[in-house]
């Protein structure tokens, strides 16, 4: 099992919002779409899985590692080694080229080594994402769709066993949405990674192996 | 922490924001450099001026500014200082209280001061010859080490004094002088001077000159007999005046009037002991239109003023420096605020706290280190070019 959440309870300080999930899991190699209205806790659940947030109670296990019990430093190392994050707002650094942005996980980690193979993988991913010609450009020189593809390449370049994508198609037109999802699912399948993606677009849901409604997950206290 | 990664990201950020980085580094460089640079230059000037002043017991000159007299007699600047007659210098020597060395530093050649003096000067300053010989005849000169090096001069070459007034027919004409010796470097104003015999300096001034003998001239070159009984005549402008003293024409150079009335700009007075120094000071200190000053004491007064001004300037610079550092800190803080989102992204990707803190500190660290480095290079440069700066300041 790739993700296993048990008896999760999480609240933000000084906020009334509470996320309570009794059980939620994702199998290895599975692609899951998380859906639900804004504010229902989709991003919170994803942050709990990635170790950005820690629950007040309950356990989050990812790839056999109990993330919720790790120290801050161990969770940082875990994210770099296990998770490929694809955020909605690209989160590309404006002072780096697209190539440097894709390879940025190797610049901030002492456990990942930047090798010629990795650089070749970066070029290969960019080729398949259709942004190979833009590798030496800066983010502001690219369109929204191209920037999102660059962010996706950065999420995949470490060949993570789990890809977490938070509305990566939210700002894109239908054509680019399709390209991004095809690239994400295709690459994940190629490296055998599980995918957990938040989306609001019902047209994309058939592309996923399973669709989870977070509201139901919270109400029913179990998998949808 | 991935040190190479932090350096890479840090430098890429600075490169992308190079205008801001350069501006900050320049501002911080000025903060360190200005007080330190002023301090260094003042210290260098003081060391150089004091060393020379402390080696010179007393200086005799015409009443006026004591500092101008010191600068002329010791550093060969201030050529416009009032002159005193050689007679006054001889009078001091005749007291038997001290050895006296006249200095006539008024004219120049190629930007270097021509110093008319006697051979005693070379012994007093312990100047040694690197090549050639010392002054022997009229029209000869010995050049300082820097003059020789910068102009490629060696014994046998010639230097020409600079005419003072191009359109003044009665003014100072250029005199071609033969270099007979080159002094060894002395790390003093002597390196930048051209030494001649006192009489040669007077010839440059036009007090002595050489021309064809009147007896050998035709009537058309004579205006009138001034005193037929002693044979003196007035000659017109067609008479050839020599502008170079050679073995052939040396004997035809002569001075009109009493050389005791001829000018010198200063005289170094060297009493053999303190008692004589006190006696001679008592007799000559600002009396009879003359002044006898102690260069060391004049330097004390000068630097007391310089240091009080320096303290004021440095205090101002320190205040400005604190303001600049404050503004710099604000810029770094704002920069951090602008980059908070970036650091949050990197933390989400998995960057550890040490890496993030290193990235935050990199910009400020780089700017401060770069400014310190540039300041150090500038200070080293000031250290090297200090003699030139001092010469310009004194000139």
């Amino acid at each position: 099992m790739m993700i296993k959440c048990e008896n999760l309870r999480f609240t933000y300080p000084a906020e009334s919002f509470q996320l309570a999930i009794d059980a939620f899991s994702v199998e290895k190699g599975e692609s899951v779409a998380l859906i639900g209205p804004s504010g229902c806790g989709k991003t919170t659940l994803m942050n709990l899985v990635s170790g950005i947030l820690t629950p007040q109670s309950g356990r989050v296990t990812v790839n056999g590692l109990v993330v919720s019990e790790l120290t801050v430093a161990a969770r940082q190392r875990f994210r770099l080694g296990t998770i490929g994050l694809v955020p909605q707002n690209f989160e590309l650094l404006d002072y780096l080229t697209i190539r440097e942005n894709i390879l940025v996980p190797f610049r901030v980690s002492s456990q990942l080594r930047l090798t010629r193979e990795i650089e070749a993988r970066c070029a290969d991913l960019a080729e398949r994402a259709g942004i190979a010609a833009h590798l030496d450009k800066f983010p502001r020189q690219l369109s929204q769709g191209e920037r999102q593809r660059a962010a996706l390449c950065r999420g995949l370049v470490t060949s993570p066993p789990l890809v977490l994508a938070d509305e990566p198609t939210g700002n894109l037109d239908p054509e680019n949405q399709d390209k991004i999802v095809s690239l994400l699912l295709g690459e994940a399948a190629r490296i055998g990674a599980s995918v957990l993606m938040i989306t609001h677009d019902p047209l994309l849901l058939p592309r996923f192996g399973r669709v989870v409604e977070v509201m139901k997950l919270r109400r029913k206290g179990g998998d949808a | 922490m991935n040190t190479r990664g932090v350096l890479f990201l840090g430098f890429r950020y600075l490169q992308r924001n190079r205008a801001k980085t350069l501006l900050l580094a320049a501002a911080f460089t000025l903060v360190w450099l200005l007080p330190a640079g002023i301090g260094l230059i003042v210290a260098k000037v003081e060391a150089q001026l004091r060393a020379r002043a402390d080696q010179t017991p007393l200086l005799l000159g015409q009443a006026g500014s004591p500092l101008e007299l010191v600068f002329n007699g010791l550093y060969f600047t201030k050529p416009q200082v009032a002159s005193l007659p050689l007679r006054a210098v001889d009078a001091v020597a005749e007291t038997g209280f001290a050895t006296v060395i006249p200095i006539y530093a008024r004219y120049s050649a190629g930007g270097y001061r021509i110093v008319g003096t006697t051979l005693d000067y070379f012994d007093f300053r312990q100047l040694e010859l690197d090549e050639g010989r010392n002054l022997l005849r009229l029209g000869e000169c010995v050049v300082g080490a820097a003059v020789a090096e910068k102009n490629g001069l060696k014994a046998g070459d010639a230097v020409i004094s600079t005419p003072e007034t191009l359109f003044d027919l009665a003014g100072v004409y250029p005199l071609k002088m033969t270099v007979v010796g080159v002094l060894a470097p002395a790390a003093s104003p002597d390196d930048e001077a051209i030494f001649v015999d006192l009489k040669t300096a007077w010839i440059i001034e036009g007090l002595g000159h050489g021309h064809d003998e009147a007896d050998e001239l035709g009537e058309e070159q004579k205006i009138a007999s001034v005193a037929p009984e002693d044979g003196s005549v007035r000659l017109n402008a067609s008479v050839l005046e020599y502008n170079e003293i050679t073995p052939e024409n040396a004997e035809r150079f002569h001075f009109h009037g009493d050389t005791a009335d001829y000018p010198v700009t200063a005289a170094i007075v060297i009493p053999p002991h303190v008692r004589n120094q006190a006696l001679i000071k008592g007799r000559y200190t600002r009396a009879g239109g003359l002044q006898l000053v102690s260069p060391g004491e004049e330097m004390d007064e000068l630097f007391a003023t310089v240091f009080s001004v320096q303290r004021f300037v440095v205090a101002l610079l320190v205040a400005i420096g604190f303001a600049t550092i404050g503004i710099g800190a604000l810029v770094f803080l704002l920069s951090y605020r602008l980059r908070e989102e970036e650091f949050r992204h990197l933390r989400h990707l998995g960057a550890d706290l040490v890496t993030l803190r290193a990235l935050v500190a990199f910009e400020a660290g780089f700017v401060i280190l770069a400014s310190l480095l540039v300041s150090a290079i500038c200070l080293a440069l000031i250290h090297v070019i200090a003699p030139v700066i001092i010469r310009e300041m004194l000139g």
Side-chain angles (χ1 to χ4, degrees), chain A residues 31-35 148 165-185 195 197-212:
Chain A
S31 63
V32 176
L34 276 181
I35 60 168
Q148 187 56 280
D166 188 354
E167 292 190 68
T169 58
N171 296 321
L172 305 179
D173 56 73
E175 188 187 350
N176 269 310
Q177 282 183 355
D178 189 60
K179 276 184 186 171
I180 292 293
V181 172
S182 298
L183 184 65
L184 170 62
L185 296 177
V195 173
M197 179 176 133
I198 295 171
T199 183
H200 286 288
D201 191 340
L203 292 175
L204 296 174
L205 298 181
R207 311 278 296 268
F208 289 85
R210 184 156 61 103
V211 176
V212 173

Side-chain angles (χ1 to χ4, degrees), chain B residues 10-29 331-332 335 339 362-368 370-371 374:
Chain B
F11 277 117
R12 293 294 278 139
Y13 176 80
L14 294 180
Q15 193 181 7
R16 195 75 180 150
N17 296 277
R18 61 176 78 90
K20 181 183 80 172
T21 307
L22 282 175
L23 205 62
L24 280 170
F28 275 82
T29 299
V331 172
F332 291 134
S335 174
R339 297 180 72 189
F362 188 89
E363 184 185 11
F366 177 86
V367 165
I368 290 169
S371 62
V374 174

Side-chain angles (χ1 to χ4, degrees), chain A residues 7-19:
Chain A
N7 304 315
L8 278 186
R9 295 289 180 278
F10 176 81
T11 54
Y12 287 103
E15 281 187 28
S16 58
F17 173 84
Q18 185 182 39
L19 183 70

Side-chain angles (χ1 to χ4, degrees), chain A residues 52 72 76-77 79-80 85 91-97 100 104-110 112 138 140 154, chain B residues 1-2 4-6 8-9 12-13 16-17 339 342 344-353 355-356 359:
Chain A
I52 291 171
V72 173
Q76 302 287 100
R77 288 195 295 274
R79 268 204 298 283
L80 272 168
L85 278 177
E91 300 186 355
L92 298 171
L93 306 185
D94 62 355
Y95 57 87
L96 297 182
T97 63
E100 290 162 349
V104 90
F106 296 88
R107 303 287 187 189
V108 295
S109 161
S110 51
L112 300 177
F138 288 92
R140 60 180 168 75
R154 184 185 59 196
Chain B
M1 183 179 76
N2 181 341
R4 285 180 65 183
V6 168
F8 175 83
L9 293 175
R12 293 294 278 139
Y13 176 80
R16 195 75 180 150
N17 296 277
R339 297 180 72 189
E342 170 195 336
R344 194 175 60 80
H345 298 338
L346 293 175
R347 189 167 59 83
H348 286 178
L349 283 176
D352 58 71
L353 275 176
T355 299
L356 290 175
L359 274 174

Side-chain angles (χ1 to χ4, degrees), chain B residues 137-140 175 177 196-204:
Chain B
R137 284 187 283 270
L138 278 180
E140 293 179 344
L175 180 72
M177 295 168 286
V196 297
D197 181 77
L198 206 49
K199 287 181 177 173
T200 304
W202 289 332
I203 288 170
I204 292 169

